[in-house]
Amino acid sequence: MNFTRWSARLPGTQRRAAARGADQGLSPAQRSEGSVPAARGEYGQPEPPSDVPTLEDFSVPEILGRVPALVALVHGPEHRVAYVNDAYAAAFGPRRAGAAAADVCPELIELGLLPLMDQVLRSGKPRTVKSRRIRSGEATDRRGEGSYTVTCLPAERVDGDGETAGVLVFAADVTDHADAAERLRASERRHRETAVTLQRSLLPQELEQPDDLRFAATYQPGGTDAAVGGDWYDVITLGAGRTALVIGDVMGRGVRAAAVMGQLRTAVRAYARLDLPPHEVLQLLDGLAAEIDASQIATCVYAVHDPNEGRLVYASAGHLPILVRDADGTVHKAAEPTGPPLGTGGWLHTSGAIDLPPGSTAVLYTDGLVERRGEDIDEGVAALERALAGATGSPQIVCDRLIRSLGVTAEHDDDVAVLVLQHPTRQGADAELFHNAALDLLGGIEAAPRARAFASGVLASWRFSPELHDLGVLAVSELVANSLQHGTPPMRLRLRRTDRRLIVEVTDGDDHLPRRRRAETEDEAGRGISIIATIASSWGSRRTPGGGKAVWCEFALPR
């Protein structure tokens, strides 16, 4: 079959051929007649020289034979081989002319080109596939192994009726580019896996579960096209039944954001041990964030739950509002009383509060849960409110339902952190394990005996063992004596029991915090806190919001 009788249908080919056909049989003088040559002469444009060769003057098979790309020509619906150039034969071996491509060209099958060639033959339009790979195996005998970008062009017979009769296959070897791209993708995968591993290792492996609340949390990194961010959460028990909870988001991506997140989370736990109000914790974090990296900004919510108050006291540094669902399904959104993100500096944060009655559920979350491209973030928060209104069950069930309701999948374009807490309603035998008792102390010499008598009666009614009863009365005596000696009115004794511990707490109006010190043999005072530290499971002190302090100790109940 003579290859010069085929023509690849390239842009402009038919128009030039038609023009040449129209000029055949005309003399040079006749071809120069008309308005176009006159117009060219009018503008001073020279006529093209008559000795310029046309495509037909070149040997196309000889040219294609020297092209470094792989070229093959097939014809008919069975794609019978009409021609392969030297580069094609060198890559895959010679191909017998007239044989069907499906029989003698396994490389076209592995590249998935036969259906594509059918489309080109039917539509007469070129098709291209990029970077398809031929792997070593028995079918290819390791010849031609690599990646190719292939273009299939419609080809027609020059002496035919203009219909597509064959397909010209033009393949460029892009193995080096494909391997480089694969190495880059592998490097990005390793980098992402490192960031995810670091991120997960810095998050709490198991949430603390305080006596009065139940927690569940979920962290989901963004999809493979999204770098890991700096979302984090934590639950910290503060003692005396109080619990701190925190959620934050470092603005940034990759290992650096995860590292900054780890430093902030560690700092939050350290500041929480000081038992400071939420706004003071954020004030300290604000300065620390600027010292860690001035270019990294983080949002954060720090909240404290006190079972005696039945509410969350919180501070927010540019973070999204806390949502609370009551037992009847009503959803409340916390106000935003605080300031800009951490690391901006120059702002005095303040604390706010939102009620958390028994039977309620609170949700803290990062922007990846509610933020969508092209949508206002308030719409995402409103969607979360609707999802929370109908979410019931355990904290983990609620957490999973919120993730599904907001359409977060494994290919989500941002990482997501969600922290759900519930204040359960207790009834029956379970409720009998939780009790509170309080006594106002008026001062004077009768305050200590009165406090001991009150504590003895309460602990006896709670049916503690004689040993725990005596230890509780001793702790009350020492704490009240310390308050009477070093504190100022008003003074208050509070006893609380849960299913896990007995808590004794004394508050007064003086903000000087006691400390444990070594008392000498001849000292008559200074042993009270040492006695408390010896007999109790834990003890601590903190300043109260209205001024003054609270000193507490805990006794673990036997299992």
Side-chain angles (χ1 to χ4, degrees):
M1 182 172 293
N2 190 349
F3 182 68
T4 58
R5 301 180 65 188
W6 291 83
S7 172
R9 187 179 300 171
L10 301 174
T13 302
Q14 292 178 331
R15 182 172 55 194
R16 291 195 296 269
R20 288 194 300 271
D23 290 342
Q24 292 178 357
L26 298 179
S27 67
Q30 288 175 322
R31 284 196 296 269
S32 64
E33 293 177 357
S35 58
V36 176
R40 290 176 179 172
E42 182 180 347
Y43 288 99
Q45 296 181 357
E47 294 184 4
S50 59
D51 58 347
V52 175
T54 62
L55 183 63
E56 288 78 2
D57 296 322
F58 295 94
S59 175
V60 176
E62 182 179 353
I63 295 175
L64 293 180
R66 297 177 181 179
V67 170
L70 283 62
V71 177
L73 177 67
V74 298
H75 69 93
E78 295 182 356
H79 305 302
R80 296 189 177 277
V81 177
Y83 169 83
V84 296
N85 70 346
D86 295 341
Y88 194 103
F92 301 116
R95 296 294 181 255
R96 179 167 52 87
D103 298 330
V104 298
C105 299
E107 65 277 359
L108 299 183
I109 298 175
E110 187 166 356
L111 290 172
L113 294 183
L114 294 184
L116 193 70
M117 293 160 62
D118 290 336
Q119 295 179 19
V120 173
L121 198 62
R122 289 194 302 267
S123 65
K125 296 180 180 179
R127 295 286 188 271
T128 299
V129 293
K130 296 182 178 180
S131 191
R132 289 194 176 179
R133 190 168 186 84
I134 293 180
R135 304 187 182 277
S136 61
E138 184 178 352
T140 58
D141 195 21
R142 302 187 65 87
R143 301 181 64 176
E145 179 182 0
S147 297
Y148 297 88
T149 292
V150 184
T151 298
C152 296
L153 296 167
E156 61 186 41
R157 296 283 294 268
V158 175
D159 56 354
D161 56 1
E163 294 185 359
T164 301
V167 177
L168 181 69
V169 180
F170 184 92
D173 189 341
V174 293
T175 303
D176 292 341
H177 295 83
D179 290 346
E182 180 58 33
R183 288 193 297 269
L184 178 60
R185 287 192 293 269
S187 175
E188 291 175 347
R189 285 195 299 270
R190 288 192 298 269
H191 185 276
R192 184 177 185 276
E193 290 170 359
T194 300
V196 171
T197 301
L198 176 63
Q199 175 87 345
R200 292 193 181 278
S201 66
L202 294 174
L203 291 174
Q205 303 304 304
E206 185 176 354
L207 289 180
E208 299 181 30
Q209 296 292 341
D211 300 354
D212 296 272
L213 300 175
R214 295 293 177 265
F215 284 92
T218 294
Y219 170 75
Q220 179 170 309
T224 55
D225 294 334
V228 177
D231 293 13
W232 94 93
Y233 56 84
D234 208 350
V235 176
I236 310 165
T237 54
L238 302 177
R242 301 169 71 248
T243 306
L245 43 144
V246 58
I247 194 164
D249 184 4
V250 176
M251 298 180 184
R253 299 287 181 178
V255 174
R256 180 59 184 167
V260 172
M261 176 275 288
Q263 296 177 76
L264 291 179
R265 177 176 176 255
T266 301
V268 169
R269 295 192 72 88
Y271 295 148
R273 297 306 174 190
L274 302 176
D275 218 339
L276 299 172
H279 64 276
E280 293 188 21
V281 172
L282 290 193
Q283 207 71 49
L284 293 171
L285 282 177
D286 186 42
L288 179 64
E291 293 177 7
I292 293 174
D293 190 342
S295 64
Q296 292 279 7
I297 296 177
T299 64
C300 179
V301 169
Y302 181 86
V304 175
H305 174 260
D306 190 331
N308 297 311
E309 298 177 358
R311 60 178 182 165
L312 284 176
V313 179
Y314 67 93
S316 173
H319 204 81
L320 294 165
I322 301 172
L323 300 181
V324 176
R325 176 190 183 275
D326 291 339
D328 61 359
T330 304
V331 177
H332 306 278
K333 182 166 63 175
E336 302 172 8
T338 55
L342 302 175
T344 55
W347 185 271
L348 290 177
H349 292 273
T350 59
S351 293
I354 185 170
D355 292 336
L356 190 70
S360 59
T361 300
V363 177
L364 291 79
Y365 51 96
T366 57
D367 58 0
L369 181 66
V370 296
E371 190 173 30
R372 301 292 183 271
R373 294 177 182 175
E375 294 183 7
D376 191 281
I377 194 169
D378 291 336
E379 297 178 7
V381 175
L384 178 60
E385 292 183 49
R386 293 190 295 270
L388 179 59
T392 58
S394 68
Q396 188 60 58
I397 292 176
V398 172
C399 202
D400 295 340
R401 287 191 61 179
L402 295 181
I403 291 289
R404 291 195 302 270
S405 298
L406 272 294
V408 177
T409 65
E411 299 302 320
H412 196 56
D413 61 357
D414 195 5
D415 48 350
V416 176
V418 182
L419 179 63
V420 175
L421 64 143
Q422 287 183 347
H423 186 185
T425 301
R426 295 182 173 87
Q427 299 176 349
D430 188 34
E432 291 298 320
L433 300 177
F434 291 81
H435 291 286
N436 285 281
L439 174 67
D440 291 326
L441 302 174
L442 303 178
I445 59 174
E446 75 283 354
R450 185 163 173 259
R452 286 194 294 270
F454 174 79
S456 179
V458 170
L459 297 180
S461 68
W462 289 349
R463 299 178 182 178
F464 287 135
S465 65
E467 180 183 0
L468 185 56
H469 174 278
D470 294 343
L471 290 176
V473 173
L474 177 58
V476 168
S477 179
E478 294 297 335
L479 291 181
V480 170
N482 182 79
S483 181
L484 290 172
Q485 183 175 357
H486 302 288
T488 59
M491 293 177 286
R492 185 178 178 86
L493 168 65
R494 178 181 286 121
L495 301 174
R496 176 174 172 78
R497 75 152 295 168
T498 70
D499 58 343
R500 304 177 190 176
R501 70 198 81 237
L502 167 65
I503 302 168
V504 180
E505 184 179 68
V506 176
T507 60
D508 62 56
D510 183 76
D511 61 0
H512 177 73
L513 298 180
R515 60 184 179 87
R516 186 180 181 183
R517 63 185 180 87
R518 183 183 299 277
E520 300 299 334
T521 305
E522 62 274 12
D523 291 343
E524 296 182 357
R527 295 181 175 83
I529 297 300
S530 295
I531 293 174
I532 293 297
T534 301
I535 65 174
S537 303
S538 61
W539 76 280
S541 61
R542 71 178 188 280
R543 290 186 174 89
T544 54
K549 67 176 179 296
V551 185
W552 56 268
C553 67
E554 295 180 349
F555 296 89
L557 301 183
R559 292 288 181 176

